[in-house]
Amino acid sequence: MADNGRVWMMRGDIAERLKALGVRGVLVQMAKRGQIVELRCEMPTCYCPKGRRYFDQWPDQRSSVGNAWSPNADHYPKLKKDGGQLRPWNVRLAHVSCNNTDFGWRRRIRRMLQKDPNVSFEAIAAQLNRKKDIHVPPKARSWTAEIVRRAYVS
C-alpha cells in the first residue's frame, strides 16, 4: 500500500500536468482531490491517433483551432444542454475532438428518436450508413443497432 506522501504526490502531479497543459477549473480541482487518477481520455471511444494518454497543450487563446487533442471537461452523464453542470459528479476528462464527436452522435441519434419515438436502433443504423458524411466509430465497418445504442448512451 502506498504511503500518504506518495498518494499526494501523484495527485499533485496530475493536477500540475493538467495546469501545464493549460487546463483550469473543475478538472484541476478534481485531480487535486484524487478524483482523476490517471491522465487519459475517458470517452468510450478515443479517436486520438497518439492514444488516450496523449494531450496537446491548449493554445494561448482558447480558440477551436489547433486544440483537437487538448484536454477538456465533458459533461457526463448529464449533457450541458440538459442542464448538466461542470461538477465532479458530472465530469469526465476528454480530448476536445473525442468530446465533440461523441456529442455530435448523441445529438443526431437523439433528434431521430425525438422525431420518431418508435424508430429502432437498427433503423437508425441503416439511416446513418446511408449518409456519407457520418463517420463510423473506429474498428467498425458500419453502424449497427449495438453501436448506435452504445454511442447514444455513452
Side-chain angles (χ1 to χ4, degrees), residues 90-110:
N90 196 56
V91 169
R92 63 183 170 191
L93 176 61
H95 290 111
V96 171
S97 185
C98 297
N99 189 355
N100 290 340
T101 301
D102 181 77
F103 175 72
W105 284 343
R106 291 195 320 187
R107 184 179 57 199
R108 185 179 291 255
I109 294 165
R110 181 184 208 169

Side-chain angles (χ1 to χ4, degrees), residues 21-88:
L21 289 167
V23 177
R24 50 188 189 257
V26 69
L27 290 173
V28 173
Q29 294 166 7
M30 289 172 66
K32 286 179 180 177
R33 294 180 196 131
Q35 295 167 337
I36 295 178
V37 296
E38 184 176 14
L39 195 58
R40 68 187 289 275
C41 180
E42 297 175 312
M43 300 301 288
T45 304
C46 177
Y47 304 96
C48 182
K50 295 183 180 181
R52 288 184 180 275
R53 290 181 174 81
Y54 175 83
F55 289 96
D56 282 335
Q57 177 143 357
W58 272 94
D60 287 338
Q61 306 212 340
R62 293 216 174 238
S63 68
S64 60
V65 178
N67 68 356
W69 308 118
S70 297
N72 79 330
D74 174 37
H75 292 80
Y76 180 83
K78 192 172 186 178
L79 294 172
K80 182 178 181 180
K81 71 183 267 171
D82 294 331
Q85 298 178 357
L86 289 176
R87 303 279 187 241

